[in-house]
Amino acid sequence: MDADVIVVGAGISGALVAEKLASTGAKVLILEAGPRVDRGPAITRFYDALVKVPECAYPNAGYAPHPRSDNVDFYYVQTGPDKFRSTYLRQVGGTTWHWLGTYLRLVPDDFRLATRFGRGVDWPIDYASLEPWYGMAEREIGVAGDSAQDLGSPRSSPYPMPEIPPTFLDPTIAQGFDGTPYEVRSTPQGRNSVVRDDRPPCCGNNSCIPICPIQAKYDATVHVARAEKAGAKLIAQAVVHHIEVGRDGRIAAVRYKHPDGSDHRVTARTFILAAHAVEIPKLLLISRGNNAPHGVANSSDQVGRNLMDHPVQLSWALVRDPVFPYRGPLSTSGVENTRAGDWRATRPSFRIEIGNDGWSWPTGAPITEAQALAGKGLRGEALKKALYERTARQVRFGTLTEQLPDPANRITPDPAQRDQLGIPRPRIAYRIDDYTKAGLAEARAIHEAAFKRLGATEISHKADNHFQGAGHVMGTARMGSDAKSGVVDADLRAFDHANLFIEGSAVFPTAGAANPTLTIAALALRSVDAIRRSLVS
């Protein structure tokens, strides 16, 4: 055996599991398709980028390509009817390099959507069984939050750090919700509010997406480093392209390629796929063979299906007085009590994010503002004054909307289009249904009313067919109660292969409306005991 455990992917779930296993003496090998990232040069790439999308700070290697927010079709092969707009990174630390840092729990009803509302499916676990692991994940990552606030998810332990202070903008914009049922609350953050873990507190940089320049915001390289210190070995630029299944149904080996095209084979007792909800199903399906004729772990025909995101309703406006956006983390407050209610039978759960980033997401401001003002003939001090006056009053809401699992929304390997190493690119069929559209419409109405209460002008909304991706790729290898309904069980073990585990948001049966990173981490930590048992079975 080359290792006791092979972990494919060095994002948050892979890093957490690798560190916990290595710390108990297991021989762990981590295979990461992308490169290691040096923060200094990455910051420089961000500063120098003409198009400052979430991926601009990072290399987009031909041997391990990823989609770009300004050109998702650079990598995806889209078949519609709607465009899938969410992206991810392939590098050591994964997408946590450019995640926002919002660290919310799901609410209890998210685990019983079918039972409570006749929608979607139920999870094979409930909130109570995951709650202690939520607390552990908050301590592992280091979460800043207000433990006294009710966000709809009962707690048995406090946040390990006090909340990130609200920006000047937050209480001002909260006035737009005064007298309504919508409660503005502090958003829990996966970033330091005090010195912790040898990392500084947040100092208000407004570049959380794409990069925190001081690592106040958590990223998975923290746990990658801990795993390596505990004895795990990491091989970067190792693109896994095939999973070998033995005659006994157990995974025998995985094969990976280096950028030069050289092919390598490694073996272990237990294998863990933690390579993101797009790359995992693609890998499982391209690994068809005599002992896995429909793809690995796919006797249920659920691999690649039920692709979900949190389609985002963006709305923006100018308020009367300066609120000074573009300071602090990109969001520090939001409305969370829209995530639970009996109305989920007819429209979805959603959460309203109050942005501290002005109009940068919907319009590309302030660069586009400067271009527009210059086009009107303004120059020099007049241009500067006008730009300051407008950008100081920009406000933005982004409502993240629940999407139901739909087996027709799926990822498959494209039969024709391949990357530099000859590996198929992901082919995506995707649409949002009327249920989700009802949530987007409700969000627009709430946004409009709040803006009007604030006396805002230049109110704008993205239309249904221009919804944004949240970067929350979920589903495609979901948990289920049996091998007919799911790919993995409640311990994240594949029904078809006793020594294969799948981590990350791919296993989510439903999406809820909470940003998924905390649930990814909690599920990963919960799975460690089952993985340990697999090593001696």
Side-chain angles (χ1 to χ4, degrees), residues 69-90:
S69 299
D70 60 332
N71 183 12
V72 290
D73 298 337
F74 169 80
Y75 184 49
Y76 295 150
V77 180
Q78 305 255 13
T79 65
D82 292 321
K83 179 155 288 198
F84 189 73
R85 293 186 172 95
S86 279
T87 68
Y88 57 98
L89 296 173
R90 298 173 78 183

Side-chain angles (χ1 to χ4, degrees), residues 384-416:
K384 181 191 289 186
K385 181 179 178 181
L387 182 62
Y388 283 178
E389 191 275 336
R390 283 185 63 82
T391 56
R393 298 188 292 123
Q394 291 176 353
V395 295
R396 185 269 296 171
F397 296 141
T399 290
L400 284 66
T401 310
E402 178 181 27
Q403 182 174 14
L404 296 174
D406 179 347
N409 284 347
R410 66 184 306 193
I411 292 170
T412 55
D414 190 80

Side-chain angles (χ1 to χ4, degrees), residues 4 19-20 51 125 163 174 181 189 233 237 254 260 277 281 307 316 347 370 412 419 435 439 449:
D4 295 320
E19 188 268 334
K20 294 305 173 190
V51 180
I125 59 174
E163 67 179 318
Q189 308 271 325
K233 179 181 179 181
Q237 300 176 296
V254 296
D260 62 6
L307 173 65
W316 60 102
R347 63 173 173 81
T412 55
D419 64 22
Y435 182 77

